[in-house]
Amino acid sequence: MELSTAVWTGGVAVAAAVYWFVWVMGAAEVKGKSAVDLKMGTIKRDNVKDKYTQYWSFFRRPKETATNASSAEKVPAFVDTFYNLVTDIYEWGWGQSFHFSPSIPGHSHREETRIHEERVADLITARPGHRILDVGCGVGGPMRAIAAHSGSQVVGITINEYQVTRARAHNKKAGLDSQCEVVCGNFLKMPFENDSFDGAYSIEATCHAPSLEDVYAEVFRVLKPGGLYVSYEWVTTALYQAENPEHVETIQGIERGDALPGLRAQKDIASIVKSVGFELVQEKDLALPPAGPWWTRLKMGRIAYWRNHLLVCVLTALRIAPKGVVEVHEMLYETARHLANGGETGIFTPMHMILCRKPVKASEEEN
Ligand SMILES: C=C(CC[C@@H](C)[C@H]1CC[C@H]2C3=CC[C@H]4[C@H](C)[C@@H](O)CC[C@]4(C)[C@H]3CC[C@]12C)C(C)C
Ligand SMILES: C[S@@+](CC[C@H](N)C(=O)[O-])C[C@H]1O[C@@H](n2cnc3c(N)ncnc32)[C@H](O)[C@@H]1O
């Protein structure tokens, strides 16, 4: 073979390998977000590493953050930074729904996710003509599933501007933009009228609030009397022992890597719901058997994690991904380990379901 032919053949082989590695393998979970597309939300390229360092020093001691009033006030801003850092990595490696779901034998992750989301719509009896609130909507995976399943109008709120852009683009692409609306704002102070929603839900989002009372009180305010609200909460279970250092290490690892100002105990959720005026309708840990383990999806992906790690290293070295992505990816890998451990030991659940109703006032009941 001539030298020039050999060089060309070699070049084509390398190009094909790079294409396969980055574009084919890189779109790890859902085609549409590939590794070459990893931006860090609205953070300027050169600031990613600094923002990550700031985030990490703020959330290093999660419990102190929650109990100190001036730190607690800063939580939404740091949660916003967190989602700038992780949103693209989540979409790339997990999909458009940023939550866990019980595993169901014979079903794909995508189907498990849809079933877990449609359950929300059924629990709050969402139907055509209803205006439903999604508290902490992410890039809108659940919103689209719920709108499509129930025929209702869904309005989502997220603190992160970048997620708003992503969610609106996905809504349009899915042909659901006439049913789904996305607003940027703080769920502790929502830009909505009193009594303006027929139903509301939050999926693995209110755990970011420094005070659960405050976010529940806001949902209560904007719901119409008689309206139902369901939340999937991240909590420690009765098996968690605060004096067991391994338990503490796992829970703090989950809090640090997920921007949480301190996880609540499962036993406290019902009383918080009631303290803001809701009637408790149902409470259930959806992770308990017969539900299949939600954490297997995290564990089964070990090889994928290593492939992804290699990929972000290569893309950062080639300056395709901004500096700091490798650190964020490592933080997520570590967090996944703590989450899986929390699930396996049973000391943590991300799906404590609480369903409640805003009471119908006596005067309205009589009408
Ligand atoms: C509800 C929240 C987020 C829950 C999950 C959607 C995410 C929690 C941990 C995330 C991940 C961990 C490991 C990542 C992996 C190293 C990477 O290669 C690909 C993406 C991950 C799998 C990533 C995906 C999303 C999570 C599972 C919190 C924040 C309240
Ligand atoms: C783990 S994601 C879950 C997103 C979505 N529920 C889902 O399941 O795909 C948590 C969401 O809560 C939002 N969030 C956290 N704190 C918030 C706040 N103070 N106000 C509004 N949204 C907030 C985040 O921006 C993010 O969209």
Side-chain angles (χ1 to χ4, degrees):
M1 196 191 292
E2 274 182 33
L3 185 64
S4 63
T5 314
V7 169
W8 271 105
T9 312
V12 169
V14 168
V18 169
Y19 173 80
W20 177 78
F21 188 64
V22 174
W23 277 277
V24 181
M25 290 187 75
E29 185 64 24
V30 164
K31 299 273 177 252
K33 173 58 73 181
S34 81
V36 282
D37 222 8
L38 294 180
K39 297 180 198 74
M40 294 283 113
T42 56
I43 303 175
K44 286 211 183 81
R45 238 186 119 76
D46 293 344
N47 295 346
V48 171
K49 211 164 178 172
D50 285 352
K51 282 287 178 192
Y52 169 71
T53 311
Q54 283 169 20
Y55 165 79
W56 192 244
S57 49
F58 184 79
F59 271 103
R60 216 179 36 224
R61 293 186 211 86
K63 276 268 155 25
E64 283 174 34
T65 307
T67 45
N68 173 320
S70 80
S71 301
E73 259 178 41
K74 294 179 195 146
V75 167
F78 277 95
V79 170
D80 180 30
T81 300
F82 173 79
Y83 280 105
N84 275 326
L85 295 168
V86 303
T87 294
D88 274 353
I89 303 183
Y90 277 17
E91 268 202 58
W92 165 55
W94 201 254
Q96 295 172 11
S97 293
F98 297 173
H99 62 78
F100 295 103
S101 309
S103 62
I104 311 172
H107 285 71
S108 66
H109 295 318
R110 200 183 271 247
E111 287 165 345
E112 290 164 358
T113 304
R114 185 183 45 76
I115 291 167
H116 199 51
E117 292 169 347
E118 289 179 353
R119 187 202 284 244
V120 163
D122 295 342
L123 282 165
I124 60 172
T125 62
R127 53 183 178 271
H130 271 188
R131 185 173 184 246
I132 304 294
L133 172 65
D134 181 334
V135 183
C137 64
V139 299
M143 160 193 280
R144 287 181 285 284
I146 287 166
H149 177 68
S150 67
S152 60
Q153 297 286 323
V154 185
V155 180
I157 183 166
T158 166
I159 193 83
N160 184 259
E161 186 69 59
Y162 182 67
Q163 291 189 337
V164 173
T165 315
R166 296 289 304 159
R168 285 183 183 153
H170 291 314
N171 289 347
K172 198 157 184 206
K173 203 167 170 195
L176 286 164
D177 47 334
S178 60
Q179 254 178 284
C180 300
E181 190 186 325
V182 192
V183 172
C184 193
N186 187 347
F187 57 38
L188 298 165
K189 219 173 177 212
M190 292 194 273
F192 305 123
E193 299 282 312
N194 291 355
D195 304 345
S196 55
F197 287 95
D198 300 283
Y201 65 89
S202 46
I203 303 184
E204 304 188 20
T206 50
C207 47
H208 288 296
S211 151
L212 199 54
E213 285 82 349
D214 291 353
V215 60
Y216 283 173
E218 265 299 88
V219 176
F220 186 86
R221 178 183 70 75
V222 302
L223 259 189
K224 292 180 188 171
L228 289 163
Y229 168 52
V230 69
S231 190
Y232 290 170
E233 291 294 338
W234 278 35
V235 290
T236 55
T237 70
L239 295 177
Y240 172 69
Q241 294 160 352
E243 59 289 348
N244 180 331
E246 283 167 23
H247 287 189
V248 174
E249 155 84 359
T250 297
I251 295 305
Q252 284 189 353
I254 292 173
E255 290 167 342
R256 271 190 211 118
D258 289 295
L260 307 179
L263 278 167
R264 281 104 197 171
Q266 196 164 31
K267 65 173 176 38
D268 294 337
I269 304 297
S271 55
I272 301 177
V273 152
K274 289 184 206 156
S275 75
V276 305
F278 278 116
E279 293 166 0
L280 179 66
V281 178
Q282 197 191 345
E283 181 180 32
K284 187 179 178 188
D285 181 357
L286 301 179
L288 290 178
W294 54 266
W295 60 91
T296 43
R297 183 176 172 191
L298 277 175
K299 286 189 65 130
M300 283 163 68
R302 283 272 152 94
I303 295 168
Y305 294 159
W306 283 109
R307 175 202 63 194
N308 290 356
H309 175 71
L310 195 60
L311 203 48
V312 290
C313 289
V314 170
L315 291 171
T316 310
L318 294 174
R319 295 175 189 265
I320 295 172
K323 263 200 207 136
V325 174
V326 175
E327 286 79 355
V328 176
H329 190 259
E330 268 166 11
M331 173 189 82
L332 292 181
Y333 179 70
E334 195 54 27
T335 309
R337 205 175 55 77
H338 289 300
L339 282 163
N341 196 27
E344 263 173 344
T345 54
I347 63 170
F348 163 77
T349 174
M351 48 190 78
H352 181 73
M353 185 277 284
I354 188 118
L355 176 65
C356 45
R357 180 184 288 110
K358 178 167 173 173
V360 179
K361 290 187 197 107
S363 58
E364 286 172 22
E365 246 170 351
E366 284 155 18
N367 291 336

